Amino acid sequence: MACLRLFLLGLSIFLVVTPSIGDKSSSESHWRADEHEWREFEEFREWKRLKIWERQNRNEGVGEESISLAGAPSPDENPAVMARFIVNQANWSSVATISSRKDIPSFPFAGVISVSDGTVGNGSGIPYMYLTPLDFTAQDIARDHRATLMMTLAQGSWCKQKSMDPMDPRCARVGLSGKIEKVIPGDLDYDSARDAVFGRHPWLSHMPKNHHFFFAKLNILSIAMLDAFGGPKYIPVKEYLNVNKHIAWRMPHRSVTLI
């Protein structure tokens, strides 16, 4: 009899507790469903913003084709003028660093990064970039800041339309060697770095926060350019940075709307 009473007591407790457990489980499931729907909504908003930006760029004629088809300076002009033109028209660059990888320590290693020296037709000549510690480039410069950026008119259609192979000396290219340095809030050129990078690459402003992206620039120490037969031309950094903008670019100024 005592056992029966204990059994009935336990059963009554179970019946009372079970609904509350079920309600909690149901509540958690409902919360998870709401969270999933919210994430999908945020992803849709992000997709819509990027689509709007792409449509605006098409309408404004901003893109690799319109940049690269502009008339480049003649090789007979000041070499610094051509170098500034190449850097300003480049949306990306190959970058060579000293590898920090365990399998190839101290080997040269090449990567590709998005770059910008400012708006098309009104650049500063200083390549700015937006890097993440998850990438090889940022990992390498954390140990050794030395790097070389190589940019060429072959990145667009300029050389192709003139039937020039990318290795043709007349298909101009420039190598900027120096040290990649972080640009942090409070630095005099932080706003310039942000505007240069996001102005040319707006989608980079939407990178995940947990990837810890940071702005950086190349502190240029040496410039070598090849734009004609006869070997490379070595351009003094001061001369390169002091090029008269009105002479350097024949491209119309364009702006990109941030989203």
Side-chain angles (χ1 to χ4, degrees), residues 3 15 19 25 28 37 60 89 93 106 117 121-122 125 136 146 151 160 169 206:
C3 291
L15 292 175
S25 176
E28 289 180 351
E37 290 179 2
E60 293 179 11
Q89 65 83 43
S93 173
S106 75
D117 78 330
N122 190 32
F136 290 120
R146 291 177 296 172
M151 291 163 256
K160 185 177 180 180
H206 304 297

Side-chain angles (χ1 to χ4, degrees), residues 128 183 189-200 205 215 258:
Y128 291 102
V183 180
D189 57 348
Y190 180 80
D191 289 342
S192 297
R194 180 187 180 280
D195 293 344
V197 174
F198 291 164
R200 194 81 73 93
S205 64
F215 293 106
L258 294 179

Side-chain angles (χ1 to χ4, degrees), residues 7-246:
F7 172 76
L8 293 174
L9 178 62
L11 180 61
S12 63
I13 293 174
F14 175 78
L15 292 175
V16 171
V17 173
T18 299
S20 64
I21 295 176
D23 291 344
K24 183 178 180 181
S25 176
S26 176
S27 176
E28 289 180 351
S29 298
H30 183 69
W31 178 82
R32 288 172 183 165
D34 286 346
E35 183 185 30
H36 180 70
E37 290 179 2
W38 177 254
R39 286 180 178 175
E40 286 187 337
F41 174 68
E42 286 295 312
E43 290 174 358
F44 170 75
R45 288 181 61 191
E46 183 71 14
W47 173 83
K48 188 174 181 179
R49 279 197 294 265
L50 292 177
K51 286 298 179 183
I52 292 173
W53 174 79
E54 290 175 357
R55 185 165 59 251
Q56 288 176 338
N57 279 351
R58 282 197 297 269
N59 293 338
E60 293 179 11
V62 177
E64 183 179 89
E65 197 74 12
S66 61
I67 294 171
S68 302
L69 290 179
S74 166
D76 296 329
E77 292 189 47
N78 183 343
V81 173
M82 175 64 88
R84 287 286 295 271
F85 177 86
I86 299 170
V87 171
N88 183 246
Q89 65 83 43
N91 283 330
W92 58 271
S93 173
S94 62
V95 54
T97 52
I98 307 300
S99 179
S100 59
R101 286 169 46 185
K102 293 181 180 179
D103 56 333
I104 50 170
S106 75
F107 273 61
F109 188 80
V112 173
I113 57 174
S114 296
V115 296
S116 172
D117 78 330
T119 54
V120 177
N122 190 32
S124 66
I126 300 174
Y128 291 102
M129 58 208 79
Y130 199 45
L131 305 176
T132 169
L134 300 177
D135 185 65
F136 290 120
T137 300
Q139 293 172 13
D140 291 347
I141 64 171
R143 293 192 177 187
D144 191 327
H145 290 272
R146 291 177 296 172
T148 294
L149 272 59
M150 178 66 74
M151 291 163 256
T152 168
L153 292 182
Q155 290 170 228
S157 301
W158 194 86
C159 296
K160 185 177 180 180
Q161 284 216 340
K162 295 179 179 295
S163 300
M164 293 180 182
D165 186 88
M167 285 189 65
D168 190 317
R170 297 167 297 176
C171 184
R173 73 215 67 169
V174 63
L176 308 177
S177 298
K179 295 183 178 181
I180 295 179
E181 302 173 347
K182 281 187 177 182
V183 180
I184 61 176
D187 286 350
L188 293 177
D189 57 348
Y190 180 80
D191 289 342
S192 297
R194 180 187 180 280
D195 293 344
V197 174
F198 291 164
R200 194 81 73 93
H201 309 281
W203 72 278
L204 285 177
S205 64
H206 304 297
M207 292 296 98
K209 291 184 178 180
N210 61 0
H211 283 31
H212 305 293
F213 274 81
F214 60 91
F215 293 106
K217 66 179 179 181
L218 182 70
N219 182 9
I220 305 170
L221 301 177
S222 176
I223 303 171
M225 183 185 69
L226 185 64
D227 67 342
F229 293 103
K233 301 171 183 176
Y234 297 94
I235 305 168
V237 176
K238 186 175 181 180
E239 182 179 339
Y240 167 84
L241 293 175
N242 289 334
V243 164
N244 186 319
K245 294 179 182 179
H246 297 291

